[in-house]
């Protein structure tokens, strides 16, 4: 009888914990619901992180998102998207995509963040020349980098970034968009928790 009572109490406690967890995050408080959600076909749930290398809040969030990305579920696709909301931000966004074309983006991503915020070298994201010199210091061919900086493939990605930011009604960064429906902002470990909550929400909506 005692065992049954303990089991019943434990089940009740677990049930309450589940309810608390389910109600832990609220719309318009912990995340925003887009009025015109994007229609994304397929079974994969898309998570897109918009950032700017010069943003201290993005820098603070980055380790949390990187940790989350390594353990995300197999049905979740994660994309880093450099925001190009103005000409200043577009400089490093083009650098990101040029590095991506050269196959060095994963290697240089955190290094560039650290150079700007840890080492205080904000000037390196101020112009194409400064940025090219920095990438060259990391072993990237400067001539190839410059040839790609304003290339058609990079410009196409920049335009897609701009269109995405407009579609998701973003006015700043960091911003994590979950499946074109929900937007999460913030800079701490709570962000990936809200993202996981919304991923489960999208799964339920797909059923």
């Amino acid at each position: 009888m005692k065992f049954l009572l303990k089991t019943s109490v434990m089940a009740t406690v677990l049930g309450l914990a589940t309810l608390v967890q389910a109600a832990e995050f609220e719309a318009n408080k912990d995340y925003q619901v887009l009025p015109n959600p994007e229609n994304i076909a397929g079974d994969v749930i898309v998570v897109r992180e918009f950032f700017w290398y010069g943003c201290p809040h993005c820098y603070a969030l980055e380790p949390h998102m990187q940790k989350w990305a390594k353990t995300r579920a197999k049905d979740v696709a994660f994309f880093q998207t450099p925001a190009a909301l103005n000409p200043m931000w577009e400089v490093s966004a083009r650098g990101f995509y040029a590095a991506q074309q050269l196959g060095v983006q994963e290697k240089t991503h955190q290094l560039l963040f650290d150079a700007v915020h840890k080492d205080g070298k904000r000037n390196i994201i101020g112009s194409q020349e400064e940025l090219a010199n920095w990438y060259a210091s990391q072993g990237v061919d400067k001539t190839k980098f410059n040839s790609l900086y304003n290339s058609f493939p990079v410009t196409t990605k920049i335009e897609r970034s701009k269109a995405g930011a407009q579609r998701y009604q973003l006015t700043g960064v960091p911003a994590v968009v979950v499946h074109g429906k929900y937007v999460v902002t913030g800079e701490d470990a709570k962000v990936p928790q809200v993202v996981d909550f919304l991923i489960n929400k999208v799964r339920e909506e797909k059923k």
Side-chain angles (χ1 to χ4, degrees), residues 172-194:
V173 290
V176 182
V177 181
V178 179
H179 211 60
K181 293 183 175 184
Y182 308 106
V183 179
V184 186
T185 58
E187 59 181 80
D188 55 24
K190 178 183 174 182
V191 173
Q193 293 173 11
V194 179

Side-chain angles (χ1 to χ4, degrees), residues 57-86:
H57 306 292
C58 299
Y59 184 60
L61 175 63
E62 193 61 19
H64 301 298
M65 290 305 297
Q66 288 303 312
K67 181 179 180 180
W68 169 86
K70 292 176 182 177
T71 59
R72 71 185 189 275
K74 293 182 179 179
D75 64 337
V76 177
F78 176 54
F79 299 97
Q80 294 171 316
T81 303
L85 301 183
N86 56 61

Side-chain angles (χ1 to χ4, degrees), residues 152-171:
F152 178 76
V154 168
T155 298
T156 298
K157 289 179 179 292
I158 289 293
E159 292 306 314
R160 288 175 180 171
S161 172
K162 291 179 179 178
Q166 184 174 13
R167 182 189 310 118
Y168 305 137
Q169 301 181 1
L170 305 184
T171 57

